[in-house]
Amino acid sequence: MSWGTELWDQFDNLEKHTQWGIDVLEKYIKFVKERTEIELSYAKQLRNLSKKYQPKKNSKEEEEYRLCWPKFCLLRQDFSRYTSTRAFLATLNEMNDYAGQHEVISENMTSLITAELTRYVQELKQERKSHFHDGRKAQQHIETCWKQLEASKRRFERDCKEADRAQQYFEKMDADINVTKADVEKARQQAQLRHQMAEDSKAEYSSTLQKFNSEQHEHYYTHIPNIFQKIQEMEERRIVRIGESMKTFAEVDRQVIPIIGKCLDEITKAAESVDHKNDSQMVIEAFKSGFEPPGDVDFEDFTQPMKRTVSESSLSNSRGDGKSEPKFSSKSKGKLWPFIKKNKGAGPEDFSNLPPEQRRKKLQQKVDELNRDIQKEMDSRDALTKMKDVYIKNPQMGDAASVDHRLAELGQNIEKLRLEVQKFEGWLAEVEGRLPARTEQPRRQSGVYEAQNPSGVNSCAQDRESPDGSYTEEQSQETEMKVPATDFDDEFDDEEPLPTIGTCKALYTFEGQNEGTISVAEGEMLYVIEEDKGDGWTRIRRNEDEEGYVPTSYVEVYLDKNAKDS
C-alpha cells in the first residue's frame, strides 16, 4: 500500500499525521527520561538506606568502638561474631549492589534510548520539513499551471466572442445599402482580424491545455507519489525506531535481572547462614566472666557468745577480719557479681574493672598489639642500620651520621614498648593465675581469689568498688607482681609436640588471621591436641608443621576414650 497512490489528495492530513507522530516520539522520550530519574532516585534512596544502617565508628573509642544503628548499638567484635548481624551486614552490602543495578538501568536508558531518540527526532524534523517543502513546491507548480490554463481559456473565450460580434457587425454593414463600400471593407477586415485572434487564442489554449494535462499527470502520478513515498518511509522508520526503543527499554531491565537475582541469592545465602546455636555460644564467649557460682552461705549462730563471723565462701566482707583477701565495700555488701553494674566511662589501664575472663582477653590483645608495635620498630631499625652500612661503605650516597638520631629514637621506643609488654604480661599472668579451672567445684568469689592468690599477690592488688558499684582492681606500681618466666612460659618451652587426644570435624570455615590461630575449611577433619579450657578455643593440628587454635563452636570434637578417662 502506497500513500502516493492511495492518499494523493490528503497532503494536509499527512502533514498533521506526521507531526502527531513526532509528538508521540517526543512524549515517549519524556517518559523514558522520567523513568531514568525515578531509577536514579530509587538507587539513591537504597544507597542512603544501606548507609543509614551501616555500622558507624565511634571516634571516642579506638580500642573498642561501637557499631551504632538508629536505635541500638553493638560492640564491633559482637557484630562480626554473630551470624545474624553478619547476615544483616551482607544484606546491607547487597542492597548497595542492588541500587547500583538501578543506576545501570538509568545510565543505559539515557544513553541507548533518550540520547539516541533525541538526536533522531531532530533529524526526523529536518527530513519531514524537506519532504513537505517539496510537496508544497509541487502543489504551487500545478496551481500555477492551472492558473495559466484558466487565463488562456478565458482569453480564447473572449476572442471568440469578439470575433462573433465583429462578424455580425460586418454582415450588418454589408446588408445596409446606405453604408459605403469603404466602411463595409473596414468591417470585413475587422471581422477577419478578430477571427484570426480567436484562432490564435484557440491554438494557445490548446497548447496550454496539453501542457497542463501533462504537468497534472506528472504531478499526481510521479512527483506527489514520490514525495508521499518518502514521507511514508520516514513515518515507517519512526514507527520502527520507537518499537526498537521499546524493546531496548525492556532489554535494559532484562540485562540486570541476573545480577539482581544474584544479589537476592546472596541475601538468601546470608539468611541461611544464620545459626542460632552458634550465636548462643558466641554470647557465652563474649560475656563469660570466669567466676564460679557462689557456694552455700554458712549459718551464723547469734545465740552463741562468740564473734560474729562470715564464712570464707561468703561474698560479704568481714569487718573485723584483717586478711588481705579481695573484698567489696559496704556499699555493695552481699551483692552477687552477676548483678553488679558495670563501670561506665574509661576503665583503668590494667582493665581491672572487667571480669577475669574478659580482662584476660583484653590484656592478651594489648600484649599482642605491643609485640606488633615492637616488631615494626625493630624492622625500621634494621632498615636504618642497613642504610647506615651502605652510607659508610659509599659516603657519596649519604651521611652515615644522619641516621644516628633516628636509630637512637627507635632504640628508646623499643625499650619503652618492652617495658610496657612486661607490665601487661605481669597483669596477664596474675589474671591467668586467678582464673578457676573447669574441673573445680563452684565456690564463692572471695574463696576463689583467696585459694589462688598467695598473700604476697594479694598485698600488691588492692580490690575496690567503683562509685557506681562495679568491681575493679587497682595495682600498686611499687608492689607490682612479677611472675618468673619459668612459671609462665613452661607450657610454651616444651619442644616436644603435644600428643593427639582425639579428632574433630570443622562445622564452618574459619579464617585464622591472628597469630596462634589456624584456618580450617568446612568439613575438614583434623587432630585435637588440647581441649577447650574455658576460653572458647580448641587447639588442633593438621600435620607436623601446621597447628593452632580455632573457636570451639566451629568444630565438633571426638575425644579418644583414653583422653576422656585421663
Side-chain angles (χ1 to χ4, degrees):
M1 302 295 291
S2 174
W3 288 6
T5 57
E6 302 293 334
L7 303 175
W8 59 269
D9 57 344
Q10 299 298 318
F11 184 87
D12 293 337
N13 286 332
L14 287 180
E15 187 175 20
K16 293 178 181 178
H17 175 77
T18 53
Q19 180 60 47
W20 173 81
I22 291 177
D23 293 340
V24 170
L25 191 56
E26 289 180 331
K27 186 169 292 186
Y28 182 73
I29 293 172
K30 185 178 180 181
F31 159 75
V32 176
K33 185 176 181 181
E34 290 185 6
R35 165 73 190 278
T36 60
E37 292 173 353
I38 291 173
E39 292 292 341
L40 279 179
S41 177
Y42 181 50
K44 182 179 180 181
Q45 291 179 30
L46 284 179
R47 288 193 184 278
N48 289 339
L49 180 66
S50 178
K51 183 178 179 182
K52 177 181 178 182
Y53 286 92
Q54 284 283 353
K56 298 177 178 62
K57 182 176 179 180
N58 183 358
S59 59
K60 296 180 180 179
E61 299 179 359
E62 286 295 334
E63 176 67 21
E64 207 177 88
Y65 61 81
R66 293 182 177 272
L67 304 175
C68 298
W69 286 268
K71 293 187 178 180
F72 63 95
C73 294
L74 286 177
L75 292 177
R76 182 188 184 188
Q77 56 267 31
D78 291 339
F79 182 86
S80 61
R81 181 184 297 118
Y82 299 121
T83 60
S84 57
T85 48
R86 286 204 302 267
F88 181 38
L89 180 58
T91 300
L92 294 177
N93 294 334
E94 292 301 330
M95 288 305 296
N96 209 35
D97 296 340
Y98 187 91
Q101 296 311 307
H102 285 277
E103 291 174 344
V104 170
I105 291 175
S106 177
E107 292 173 1
N108 289 342
M109 285 187 176
T110 299
S111 60
L112 299 178
I113 301 178
T114 305
E116 290 295 328
L117 286 185
T118 300
R119 184 165 50 251
Y120 176 70
V121 163
Q122 297 302 320
E123 297 173 355
L124 188 64
K125 288 181 178 180
Q126 292 296 327
E127 183 180 0
R128 175 182 176 275
K129 181 179 179 181
S130 174
H131 293 328
F132 280 99
H133 175 74
D134 293 342
R136 289 191 186 90
K137 188 175 179 180
Q139 288 280 45
Q140 291 173 359
H141 177 70
I142 198 66
E143 288 174 1
T144 301
C145 292
W146 172 257
K147 288 178 182 179
Q148 291 175 354
L149 177 63
E150 286 293 317
S152 177
K153 178 182 177 181
R154 286 194 299 269
R155 188 164 50 250
F156 172 55
E157 182 182 8
R158 185 183 68 245
D159 290 345
C160 286
K161 290 180 180 179
E162 291 291 334
D164 287 342
R165 283 196 295 267
Q167 183 65 30
Q168 290 174 5
Y169 179 72
F170 166 69
E171 290 176 355
K172 182 180 179 182
M173 292 293 289
D174 187 44
D176 190 354
I177 59 174
N178 296 321
V179 178
T180 63
K181 189 176 181 179
D183 291 335
V184 173
E185 183 63 24
K186 182 178 180 181
R188 186 182 65 80
Q189 292 178 356
Q190 185 67 27
Q192 289 179 350
L193 178 62
R194 290 297 179 182
H195 276 290
Q196 184 63 40
M197 291 178 62
E199 289 295 329
D200 292 341
S201 297
K202 181 180 179 182
E204 181 184 359
Y205 170 64
S206 177
S207 175
T208 303
L209 180 61
Q210 290 179 0
K211 181 179 179 182
F212 174 77
N213 288 334
S214 176
E215 291 288 345
Q216 181 176 254
H217 186 275
E218 188 76 13
H219 175 79
Y220 288 111
Y221 289 94
T222 303
H223 294 314
I224 289 299
N226 288 340
I227 293 172
F228 280 16
Q229 182 65 29
K230 293 178 181 178
I231 294 174
Q232 181 180 357
E233 292 173 356
M234 175 194 73
E235 181 65 10
E236 289 175 353
R237 287 198 306 272
R238 179 194 67 82
I239 296 171
V240 171
R241 191 65 176 268
I242 196 171
E244 291 176 347
S245 297
M246 291 178 181
K247 184 178 179 181
T248 303
F249 183 88
E251 288 298 324
V252 168
D253 257 339
R254 186 176 287 108
Q255 287 174 359
V256 302
I257 287 177
I259 304 177
I260 290 178
K262 187 176 181 181
C263 293
L264 298 178
D265 291 342
E266 290 298 323
I267 293 175
T268 303
K269 183 179 179 181
E272 292 173 349
S273 69
V274 174
D275 186 350
H276 59 286
K277 294 294 185 181
N278 178 78
D279 286 4
S280 297
Q281 181 63 31
M282 291 300 103
V283 173
I284 296 174
E285 295 181 7
F287 302 111
K288 182 173 63 175
S289 66
F291 290 120
E292 295 289 347
D296 296 336
V297 179
D298 292 340
F299 176 76
E300 299 181 48
D301 191 356
F302 290 96
T303 62
Q304 300 296 328
M306 58 183 292
K307 184 177 180 179
R308 297 178 182 179
T309 60
V310 180
S311 73
E312 184 182 17
S313 62
S314 175
L315 281 176
S316 302
N317 288 322
S318 177
R319 297 187 180 182
D321 195 352
K323 293 182 180 180
S324 58
E325 63 181 28
K327 55 184 180 296
F328 296 98
S329 66
S330 59
K331 185 184 296 185
S332 60
K333 185 176 181 180
K335 188 181 294 184
L336 299 181
W337 170 263
F339 308 102
I340 297 176
K341 295 181 179 179
K342 294 184 178 180
N343 187 22
K344 297 180 180 180
E349 183 184 14
D350 61 353
F351 306 108
S352 56
N353 59 319
L354 299 176
E357 182 66 23
Q358 305 300 322
R359 184 187 179 195
R360 183 192 65 78
K361 292 181 179 179
K362 289 295 177 185
L363 289 172
Q364 185 63 57
Q365 291 174 4
K366 188 66 177 179
V367 170
D368 294 341
E369 179 184 344
L370 290 172
N371 284 329
R372 287 194 295 269
D373 293 340
I374 290 175
Q375 187 60 45
K376 290 180 181 177
E377 296 293 311
M378 291 178 66
D379 291 342
S380 299
R381 185 180 64 180
D382 294 342
L384 283 176
T385 302
K386 292 179 180 179
M387 183 184 296
K388 182 178 179 180
D389 293 340
V390 172
Y391 288 167
I392 292 174
K393 296 178 181 178
N394 303 281
Q396 68 275 11
M397 297 184 65
D399 184 10
S402 62
V403 299
D404 289 341
H405 178 69
R406 179 57 181 161
L407 284 173
E409 287 183 354
L410 290 173
Q412 294 175 0
N413 293 341
I414 293 173
E415 186 61 30
K416 290 179 181 178
L417 290 171
R418 284 173 175 169
L419 292 175
E420 286 290 308
V421 169
Q422 292 178 5
K423 179 172 65 175
F424 280 94
E425 284 180 343
W427 288 333
L428 179 61
E430 175 193 348
V431 174
E432 291 181 338
R434 289 187 176 189
L435 284 175
R438 298 178 67 182
T439 58
E440 290 182 351
Q441 295 297 325
R443 289 181 292 173
R444 279 288 182 179
Q445 176 182 331
S446 59
V448 172
Y449 277 99
E450 195 171 288
Q452 295 187 356
N453 288 277
S455 59
V457 174
N458 289 335
S459 63
C460 68
Q462 299 176 353
D463 299 341
R464 73 185 192 283
E465 180 189 36
S466 61
D468 62 351
S470 65
Y471 169 79
T472 60
E473 283 186 346
E474 185 179 78
Q475 279 194 313
S476 171
Q477 295 295 330
E478 292 81 11
T479 60
E480 182 179 349
M481 182 186 64
K482 304 294 183 179
V483 180
T486 55
D487 294 339
F488 181 62
D489 297 327
D490 282 348
E491 59 177 308
F492 300 101
D493 293 338
D494 190 3
E495 296 181 357
E496 294 294 330
L498 294 174
T500 58
I501 60 175
T503 59
C504 66
K505 178 182 179 182
L507 301 176
Y508 316 99
T509 299
F510 173 70
E511 298 293 338
Q513 299 178 350
N514 297 328
E515 184 177 357
T517 61
I518 184 173
S519 299
V520 296
E522 181 179 352
E524 185 177 1
M525 296 297 297
L526 307 109
Y527 297 103
V528 178
I529 57 177
E530 186 177 318
E531 281 190 88
D532 183 352
K533 295 185 177 181
D535 57 357
W537 294 88
T538 299
R539 193 172 179 183
I540 63 173
R541 176 185 296 144
R542 178 177 287 112
N543 50 49
E544 294 181 358
D545 299 326
E546 290 186 87
E547 66 177 45
Y549 289 92
V550 295
T552 304
S553 58
Y554 278 61
V555 295
E556 184 175 0
V557 177
Y558 311 98
L559 293 179
D560 295 339
K561 184 176 180 181
N562 295 335
K564 291 182 180 179
D565 296 339
S566 60

